[in-house]
Amino acid sequence: MTQAKSAVVVGAQWGDEGKGKIVDVLSERFSVVARYAGGHNAGHTVIIDGHKFILQLVPCGVLRPGCRGVIGNGVVLDPMAFLKETGRLRELGVDVDARLFVSNRAQVILPYHRMIELAAESAPGRQKIGTTSRGIGPAYEDKMARNGLRVVDLLNPALLKTHIENACGEKNAIAHALFGTEPLDPAQMYEEYAQAAERIRPYVTDTALLLNRALAENQSVMFEGAQGTLLDIDHGTYPFVTSSSASAGGACTGTGVGPTCIGTVIGVTKAYVTRVGEGPFPTEIHDRSADVLRARGQEYGAVTGRPRRCGWLDLPLLRYSNQINGTEWLVVTKLDVLDDLDEISVCTGYEIDGEKCDSLPADIRGIESIRPVYTKLRGWKASTEGVRAFDDLPKLAQDYLRFMESESGARIGIVSTGPDRDQTLELPDFRDAMQRIAGR
């Protein structure tokens, strides 16, 4: 049986690993890039010749001429955010109109979703998850309650009008009773979204059919994840997670492509760890070293601008992530951020109540009880920025990467040595594997 001409690119930590750059780098080889989960709460930053592109809903592949982008059924689509983003890309000279497709089965975010999430996140006594308050969670809640609006329904004016009237009657009453929120106007909402629907209509198609046809015609497809594995609704640090399947398995359910069509899984990990928002973080740094990493790594959210929490590389967490995703290849980003450190700590194991633990506990109390066991490695104290060959890296930087590889259970294929598209080091075995999968 020949290897499927596809790859899944997934975040191996809590998101913000630099997947956008990696998808952009790899998309030169692929015919289609398909986003399979999340909404416009996920920001992917791509820097090309010093010019910055921040993508939230649109797959990174559209920045490559000839590559098509797909927003799959597993994504929740905010029509206004979509139109704003495509308009901005059009102004920057990116051809989105002929190469971007939206699933007719994707769920739609409406203003009452944002109203509910913002009110709930701000309410006294409620556990704060640290959401972006963009309506992502409530939209997924409606999807699972079988009460959501899909893109195909958005295009039906009569159905849209009825849905908004009924939903506003319910959501306004709930929000007012629980949070004292002022009601939304369903008539105004309908007018705005009926107009937006007509502007979105040209992009809408059966993307599951499109993707399966592409694979059947021997074209290559890359599946682009959002957030990271530890934010997955099932496998992440629940309840401090997102509302979708952020791990590699979401590529199948979120696009309509079967599991036998997945050729390989590529996990993206930083050379250290970051997290945005609330939730447990075993290797979080609480001294000046965190400020150093944050400053050198420009660790601020691409969508929200929030400062990211910083910590040392967590190998038990990375092993867990690789297990959940079936990761074959690792991409290591932001190696250059560690260039000036005299010593680098790496978590190689956990202790809970004095007992060694090899796995990530399921409950938050268990994760919060973790005492990381660290190994200290010497820093290389030399620049890795822009290095394009593994043998040209400082010897101690090579040792650091090989240690990551041997302890994580997946092979390193790419090392990012700077934010720009060209600041990328690709190892020969990975290049050969991509040639077999993508054919380019």
Side-chain angles (χ1 to χ4, degrees), residues 192-315:
E192 291 176 355
Y193 281 79
Q195 292 176 30
E198 292 310 310
R199 295 173 61 193
I200 291 172
R201 188 182 293 275
Y203 298 97
V204 179
T205 190
D206 185 337
T207 54
L209 182 61
L210 182 156
L211 291 168
N212 280 288
R213 278 182 175 170
L215 289 167
E217 292 168 4
N218 209 33
Q219 297 176 40
S220 53
V221 176
M222 180 162 49
F223 300 94
E224 177 186 35
Q227 288 95 23
T229 302
L230 274 294
L231 292 176
D232 184 275
I233 186 67
D234 289 296
H235 303 292
T237 49
Y238 190 91
F240 299 98
V241 293
T242 192
S243 300
S244 59
S245 297
S247 54
C252 295
T253 56
T255 62
V257 169
T260 55
C261 294
I262 302 300
T264 191
V265 177
I266 302 166
V268 185
T269 173
K270 281 179 181 167
Y272 49 101
V273 188
T274 61
R275 179 167 196 164
V276 171
E278 307 296 326
F281 188 170
T283 63
E284 183 171 11
I285 303 170
H286 297 286
D287 59 29
R288 184 178 171 277
S289 299
D291 298 328
V292 173
L293 293 179
R294 190 176 298 111
R296 279 189 56 84
Q298 290 296 295
E299 296 296 358
Y300 299 91
V303 173
T304 64
R306 291 184 293 180
R308 296 174 185 143
R309 298 155 64 191
C310 296
W312 299 118
L313 180 65
D314 188 331
L315 287 171

Side-chain angles (χ1 to χ4, degrees), residues 220-430:
S220 53
V221 176
M222 180 162 49
F223 300 94
E224 177 186 35
Q227 288 95 23
T229 302
L230 274 294
L231 292 176
D232 184 275
I233 186 67
D234 289 296
H235 303 292
T237 49
Y238 190 91
F240 299 98
V241 293
T242 192
S243 300
S244 59
S245 297
S247 54
C252 295
T253 56
T255 62
V257 169
T260 55
C261 294
I262 302 300
T264 191
V265 177
I266 302 166
V268 185
T269 173
K270 281 179 181 167
Y272 49 101
V273 188
T274 61
R275 179 167 196 164
V276 171
E278 307 296 326
F281 188 170
T283 63
E284 183 171 11
I285 303 170
H286 297 286
D287 59 29
R288 184 178 171 277
S289 299
D291 298 328
V292 173
L293 293 179
R294 190 176 298 111
R296 279 189 56 84
Q298 290 296 295
E299 296 296 358
Y300 299 91
V303 173
T304 64
R306 291 184 293 180
R308 296 174 185 143
R309 298 155 64 191
C310 296
W312 299 118
L313 180 65
D314 188 331
L315 287 171
L317 183 148
L318 187 56
R319 286 193 289 268
Y320 172 79
S321 173
N322 290 346
Q323 169 191 300
I324 294 300
N325 292 308
T327 305
E328 183 178 8
W329 295 98
L330 280 179
V331 172
V332 181
T333 62
K334 297 200 174 184
L335 180 70
D336 54 300
V337 173
L338 305 180
D339 284 351
D340 292 339
L341 299 183
D342 295 309
E343 187 177 72
I344 303 168
S345 296
V346 179
C347 174
T348 53
Y350 294 153
E351 284 186 3
I352 299 177
D353 298 327
E355 299 289 329
K356 289 185 178 180
C357 179
D358 295 328
S359 60
L360 192 71
D363 62 313
I364 292 300
R365 184 176 301 174
I367 298 174
E368 291 175 342
S369 300
I370 286 173
R371 188 183 75 81
V373 177
Y374 287 110
T375 295
K376 305 285 188 181
L377 301 177
R378 287 172 55 202
W380 41 93
K381 300 291 289 182
S383 177
T384 61
E385 186 170 0
V387 173
R388 299 291 301 275
F390 187 85
D391 290 341
D392 292 337
L393 290 170
K395 176 63 166 54
L396 289 174
Q398 295 181 33
D399 292 344
Y400 185 80
L401 293 169
R402 290 306 184 198
F403 185 70
M404 285 183 65
E405 186 175 62
S406 65
E407 292 288 324
S408 71
R411 300 177 66 187
I412 292 177
I414 287 179
V415 181
S416 175
T417 56
D420 202 276
R421 174 189 275 178
D422 293 330
Q423 293 174 306
T424 307
L425 182 166
E426 193 169 300
L427 277 78
D429 286 351
F430 179 78

